[in-house]
Amino acid sequence: MGVEVSVEGLTKSFGSQRIWQDVTLTLPAGEVSALLGPSGTGKSVFLKSLIGLLRPEQGSIVIDGTNILECSSKELYEIRKLFGVLFQDGALFGSMNLFDNVAFPLREHTKKSESEIRKIVMEKMELVGLLGAEDKLPGEISGGMRKRAGLARALVLDPQIILVDEPDSGLDPVRTTYISQTLIDINAEIDATILIVSHNINLARTVPDNIGMLFRRHLVMFGPREVLLTSEEPVVKQFLNGTMIGPIGMSEEKDEAQMAQEQAMVDAGHHAGGVDDVEGIVPQMKATPGMPFRQAVARRQERVRHIMHTLPENAQIAIQESLGADGVGDEWSPGDADTDRMYFEAAGFDTGVAK
Ligand SMILES: Nc1ncnc2c1ncn2[C@@H]1O[C@H](COP(=O)(O)OP(=O)(O)O)[C@@H](O)[C@H]1O
Ligand SMILES: [Mg+2]
């Protein structure tokens, strides 16, 4: 199982520009979390801080028992090995074909033989749906395929924590859904802790187990998906519905007067864009049939049961609905797990379950 990442009181500035302050959250081990926020709120800065590429001036980031803001560079080097990162542009080497790009970390950081490397690279290429494209150069393929290749490369060193910066940027809605499915499948397959940074509404509604949102230099909230998806917080609602009405402005943040003026226009019949409120919560994506069952689902249910009484009422209702009458949950039940295991074993994998 992936490792927990615990962030407390984190504050980051560049010179006199405060990016965000007092950010506290825990990425639960092995679960998929998403950090949302309008452009420029410091999502990428947060992601880079987690791997020690940027240095927040206050707070702590504890990974596997080590506070990476206080540890030695040798310790940081070790901690970094736990991470696989997909940067926004995929960050592929343009002159290398996909095979060599994906193989790069293995050749650089391990002493594995070329035949071992081939086995691992092909396995990851298959997981991200790129089998057959090994000989292509990054310039010859679509943006979606480049992201998949970047993802495959992020996976070759068996990371326990996977950070993904805007997997949807530049992709159409259908390609975005495919990459979302791939991220869920990766979580099912390797049970790593995953953090996705995004401003994509569909992805936010369907992929993560936990969701947080950055706005106005603060973490507005972070918790089980049901908390944010049922939130009445104006900035959260505006973001999830993609409308012009709310605290998020075109470039600068709005003041109260401007917000009131806009609301008056809407009351008078002006269309503010975006979609109407979606009733309730859309179900979370499941792993593709044939993948192992996603262990995060059962773990999260157990975890959420414990903190249930601390959550807002709307979130509690949504969670209860998702758990269903039997309290087991519609995304995962022993029946489903058995089916999944059957598929999995039929595909020739060892599920570790005695037959
Ligand atoms: N290395 C850096 N030096 C100075 N300012 C930076 C640096 N990286 C990011 N910023 C600033 O931090 C802010 C947040 O950036 P970013 O994290 O990229 O936002 P997001 O990913 O949410 O769109 C921006 O104003 C950006 O200009
Ligand atoms: Mg960014």
Side-chain angles (χ1 to χ4, degrees), residues 107-288:
R107 290 175 176 152
E108 199 76 348
H109 295 292
T110 73
K111 294 191 166 63
K112 291 187 191 302
S113 69
E114 275 303 307
S115 70
E116 283 173 294
I117 289 175
R118 169 156 291 273
K119 186 169 164 290
I120 296 169
V121 170
M122 296 313 265
E123 190 184 294
K124 304 309 178 193
M125 292 291 268
E126 181 172 11
L127 186 57
V128 302
L130 276 184
L131 226 44
E134 301 82 61
D135 296 334
K136 295 257 194 288
L137 289 171
E140 299 170 341
I141 58 175
S142 68
M145 286 172 78
R146 277 197 291 274
K147 282 188 194 290
R148 287 175 183 279
L151 202 48
R153 192 178 57 187
L155 295 176
V156 291
L157 293 177
D158 287 328
Q160 310 225 28
I161 310 163
I162 301 171
L163 306 180
V164 186
D165 199 351
E166 304 216 6
D168 54 290
S169 68
L171 301 192
D172 63 61
V174 176
R175 266 42 174 273
T176 298
T177 307
Y178 277 114
I179 199 114
S180 297
Q181 180 70 67
T182 301
L183 290 167
I184 286 287
D185 288 351
I186 286 169
N187 179 247
E189 175 91 32
I190 66 178
D191 206 18
T193 306
I194 300 182
L195 177 65
I196 304 167
V197 157
S198 177
H199 51 220
N200 185 290
I201 303 168
N202 284 337
L203 185 147
R205 286 188 190 279
T206 56
V207 177
D209 298 306
N210 311 288
I211 314 181
M213 182 166 173
L214 280 173
F215 185 61
R216 292 196 176 154
R217 291 169 287 285
H218 289 93
L219 185 70
V220 182
M221 53 179 71
F222 183 86
R225 65 193 289 273
E226 293 86 356
V227 175
L228 191 124
L229 295 178
T230 60
S231 171
E232 293 292 320
E233 190 80 37
V235 62
V236 173
K237 286 190 75 166
Q238 182 190 5
F239 193 83
L240 287 178
N241 294 318
T243 88
M244 293 186 277
I245 299 302
I248 307 170
M250 189 159 62
S251 52
E252 275 301 300
E253 290 150 5
K254 298 175 189 170
D255 59 24
E256 296 291 322
Q258 192 186 350
M259 278 175 67
Q261 193 187 4
E262 287 175 353
Q263 189 58 53
M265 275 163 57
V266 167
D267 292 344
H270 176 70
H271 186 12
V275 292
D276 287 334
D277 273 350
V278 176
E279 270 304 316
I281 292 185
V282 286
Q284 196 177 4
M285 263 182 163
K286 299 175 194 178
T288 303

Side-chain angles (χ1 to χ4, degrees), residues 40 42-45 88 165-166 197:
K43 301 182 296 298
S44 296
V45 168
Q88 209 161 326
D165 199 351
E166 304 216 6
V197 157

